Amino acid sequence: MSVLPLVFTSGWASGVNAYAVVLLLGLFGVTGVGDDIPQTLQRPEVLIVAGVLFLCESVADKIPYVDSLWDSVHTVVRPLAGAWVGALLAGQSGSLSDATAGLVGGSTALASHIVKAGTRMAVNTSPEPFSNLVLSVAEDLGVGGVVTFAMFHPLAAAVIAAVLLTGGLLALLFLASRIRRFLRRRAQRREERRLASRGP
């Protein structure tokens, strides 16, 4: 069976939480849940680093405005992680070229990252902090659930990931005004800090 559905699903999930994807796939490989998990993802040092970074992301992702700063830093990291995981999966399977898998994984991760980052900008316009926490927990559970499901039903999991990605992109269209408001506020705060640093 082609590894493409798993590459697509892991790419979508990497755009939301790349460290969780690496950690989950590695653990599935170590425990024997997934037979076709590359050895690179199962290495102890990879699991430890992914685990530590996952914990860091779990904290940063639940704090208003810190989450958007974290997302901006990961605009490069998540697509690269999606491409890397996709290429590794393709290399292990042999049913898809590494370059094609890397392109699919990376582009899917970039699209889902844009959805995540844009949604967080919109949520950060809300005065209460609880929506960030709820959204972050939902994302963590979604990534964990879909990646786990992909181990047993890769094609169905890819369909779920595609629906979530499409729904997220459509939601961004409706949230565009709130995202613009967030960007204006951020620019205003930067200008205020710049003026304050000048002093009287």
Side-chain angles (χ1 to χ4, degrees):
M1 183 176 181
S2 173
V3 75
L4 183 60
L6 183 56
V7 169
F8 180 86
T9 302
S10 64
W12 168 81
S14 294
V16 180
N17 192 326
Y19 307 122
V21 173
V22 173
L23 182 62
L24 280 171
L25 291 178
L27 290 175
F28 289 148
V30 168
T31 57
V33 173
D35 297 329
D36 295 324
I37 304 299
Q39 286 297 321
T40 301
L41 297 176
Q42 301 180 45
R43 293 172 59 174
E45 61 270 26
V46 172
L47 292 174
I48 291 170
V49 171
V52 170
L53 291 173
F54 170 71
L55 290 176
C56 292
E57 175 145 342
S58 294
V59 174
D61 207 40
K62 294 171 178 61
I63 304 171
Y65 293 100
V66 174
D67 57 353
S68 288
L69 177 61
W70 184 268
D71 285 340
S72 66
V73 172
H74 284 75
T75 300
V76 175
V77 174
R78 288 172 182 155
L80 285 178
W84 177 65
V85 170
L88 286 176
L89 290 170
Q92 181 76 12
S93 168
S95 62
L96 187 69
S97 74
D98 294 2
T100 301
L103 182 61
V104 171
S107 58
T108 307
L110 178 59
S112 61
H113 166 75
I114 289 170
V115 170
K116 176 187 171 90
T119 304
R120 288 311 180 86
M121 288 180 188
V123 168
N124 279 332
T125 62
S126 174
E128 46 75 32
F130 303 108
S131 51
N132 296 74
L133 178 63
V134 171
L135 189 57
S136 177
V137 171
E139 288 170 350
D140 291 343
L141 293 175
V143 166
V146 173
V147 171
T148 301
F149 187 56
M151 290 293 98
F152 306 98
H153 305 284
L155 188 56
V159 171
I160 293 172
V163 170
L164 291 172
L165 181 58
T166 303
L169 291 170
L170 291 174
L172 280 187
L173 296 177
F174 291 103
L175 295 171
S177 61
R178 299 191 73 175
I179 295 170
R180 286 194 295 269
R181 194 183 319 155
F182 170 85
L183 294 172
R184 283 196 301 268
R185 285 183 182 177
R186 188 168 66 174
Q188 184 180 0
R189 281 195 302 272
R190 285 179 178 170
E191 181 64 17
E192 289 171 353
R193 284 197 298 268
R194 187 181 66 81
L195 293 174
S197 66
R198 286 183 174 183

